[in-house]
Amino acid sequence: MTRVAVIGVGAMGRHHARVYSEMPDAELVGVADIDAALAEATGKHLGVPAYTDFQQLLIAQKPEAVSIAVPTIDHQAVALAAIDRGMHVLIEKPIALNVDQGRSIIEAADRSGVRLMIGHIERFNPAIVALKDRLAHHEFGRLFQIEARRQGPSLSRASDAGVAIDLAVHDLDVMCYLSGSQVVRVFAETERRIHGAREDLLTGVLRFADGMIGTLTINWLTPTKIRELYVTGERGMFRVDYLTQDLSLFENATMHGGDWNALQLLRGVSEGRMVRYALAKTEPLRAELEAWLAAVRGEAPVRVTGEAGLRALELAQAIVTSGTEHRVIRFNVSSPTSPQN
């Protein structure tokens, strides 16, 4: 039984606490939030101690592992405090407010020998899990393009970041995860239509080292929630609907049933079968926390490393810079999280 605690029980953290309380191999020993009413309500509902000072929680309950779901601006301070006490740390995305802070968290975890995982929950969506498996087994041929659409109404909660870091960071991580390739350059157009302080709309283009192109359409301005991913390659196009956890394949009939070669590619693309995969629906957060506790116990590797979280944040920051300064941001391929001016 792993002793766990949750720091920050707002929009996402309260779900961490709920799932931990339901897991047979986890013991939720406490929650903390600077909002006393929120902390007390969550603690009372789950039958665990509640604190307004997370340091008191760490001292009194001595959890082995913590989930950190505080505002991004506080990620570094809370993570370093837990790491200094030898506790394993799961941080909700993004890893930190900026790359320097994210790197300091990674270095501290390495020095202390504790496990660090970043909560990029979309990797645990059944549709992404199934898609990754099919791509890993080379069932699809070469990848040509990944297109992400993450659109919806304005946030009902306060945010200390715009759509690039709050939303696009999900898709940047998924693109890198699925392709296994490094980003060599990005360009984006961003706008502030309703939210004056930060961008609430972006369209971005990424070029990967293997020639694949990624595109992003992200906003807080669409009056319906859209969470979709399209992966186009030699064999056809995969479509992921994150909300319904559906994965579909639209086949390129020219490629069906044969080896892929240059001659077939010259014949172009034609419409083939449409296949909708039967997937077991699961709660991605439950799958994420199960993977996290397995890593804490040393039974499995960390599924989303600090370095992966740092890469997604660096790309998101590059998109913000590109949109603000109206220029292409280039990366050193040998070190994908090192932008070149």
Side-chain angles (χ1 to χ4, degrees):
M1 184 83 64
T2 305
R3 292 171 57 83
V4 297
V6 178
I7 303 172
V9 287
M12 195 65 188
R14 68 174 181 266
H15 293 296
H16 279 248
R18 170 185 58 81
V19 173
Y20 280 137
S21 71
E22 297 169 352
M23 297 173 68
D25 55 351
E27 180 187 2
L28 181 65
V29 298
V31 298
D33 199 288
I34 59 172
D35 185 327
L38 188 59
E40 291 170 7
T42 305
K44 182 178 180 180
H45 177 68
L46 298 175
V48 299
Y51 301 81
T52 54
D53 183 340
F54 78 91
Q55 295 274 20
Q56 292 180 358
L57 165 62
L58 300 183
I59 293 169
Q61 300 300 329
K62 297 180 175 58
E64 299 169 65
V66 297
S67 279
I68 297 174
V70 297
T72 306
I73 195 171
D74 297 319
H75 281 191
Q76 182 190 36
V78 177
L80 293 181
I83 291 169
D84 285 347
R85 295 183 178 277
M87 298 166 184
H88 305 293
V89 172
L90 168 64
I91 307 175
E92 265 300 325
K93 66 81 197 166
I95 183 174
L97 188 64
N98 57 54
V99 170
D100 288 341
Q101 290 184 7
R103 190 170 288 116
S104 74
I105 294 171
I106 294 171
E107 291 171 353
D110 288 342
R111 286 195 304 269
S112 297
V114 302
R115 292 173 180 81
L116 169 66
M117 180 163 145
I118 312 305
H120 281 282
I121 194 171
E122 300 293 26
R123 290 207 197 184
F124 299 88
N125 188 296
I128 293 296
V129 173
L131 175 56
K132 175 64 174 177
D133 182 65
R134 282 161 175 76
L135 295 179
H137 287 85
H138 306 291
E139 297 179 11
F140 198 54
R142 289 180 297 160
L143 301 187
F144 299 150
Q145 181 182 37
I146 300 183
E147 174 188 0
R149 296 181 62 201
R150 190 170 294 268
Q151 301 160 267
S154 298
L155 288 173
S156 58
R157 58 181 173 83
S159 175
D160 46 12
V163 292
I165 290 176
D166 194 72
L167 294 184
V169 72
H170 281 297
D171 302 295
L172 294 166
D173 176 68
V174 167
M175 287 180 178
C176 293
Y177 175 60
L178 292 178
S179 70
S181 184
Q182 299 178 4
V183 176
V184 297
R185 62 180 179 266
V186 302
F187 179 76
E189 293 286 356
T190 60
E191 280 290 344
R192 300 174 183 177
R193 294 299 187 183
I194 296 176
H195 306 77
R198 299 175 181 88
E199 80 284 348
D200 52 18
L201 176 153
L202 77 82
T203 297
V205 181
L206 300 89
R207 181 77 177 193
F208 288 77
D210 62 1
M212 190 188 74
I213 294 174
T215 63
L216 299 161
T217 302
I218 315 287
N219 71 48
W220 281 324
L221 305 176
T222 303
T224 187
K225 193 172 183 179
I226 300 170
R227 300 288 187 267
E228 296 176 346
L229 188 79
Y230 299 85
V231 180
T232 302
E234 287 181 323
R235 188 177 173 184
M237 181 186 75
F238 280 111
R239 175 184 178 272
V240 169
D241 188 321
Y242 289 103
L243 300 179
T244 61
Q245 300 184 3
D246 285 323
L247 175 65
S248 303
L249 171 63
F250 299 83
E251 284 191 338
N252 174 7
T254 304
M255 297 294 180
H256 181 62
D259 293 330
W260 303 316
N261 55 46
L263 178 60
Q264 284 181 305
L265 287 175
L266 289 174
R267 294 172 182 165
V269 175
S270 60
E271 187 173 357
R273 299 181 304 167
M274 183 274 192
V275 180
R276 182 172 175 272
Y277 295 94
L279 304 178
K281 312 294 183 181
T282 62
E283 183 179 9
L285 181 59
R286 175 69 180 250
E288 178 184 88
L289 295 185
E290 287 175 345
W292 164 234
L293 292 187
V296 167
R297 294 190 297 266
E299 299 169 357
V302 171
R303 291 276 292 275
V304 188
T305 64
E307 288 78 8
L310 192 67
R311 174 184 58 192
L313 175 60
E314 179 109 29
L315 293 172
Q317 288 190 330
I319 283 175
V320 174
T321 301
S322 178
T324 303
E325 300 181 2
H326 311 294
R327 65 184 179 93
V328 174
I329 307 296
R330 301 179 186 277
F331 291 87
N332 182 341
V333 175
S334 62
S335 181
T337 55
S338 297
Q340 298 175 328
N341 295 323

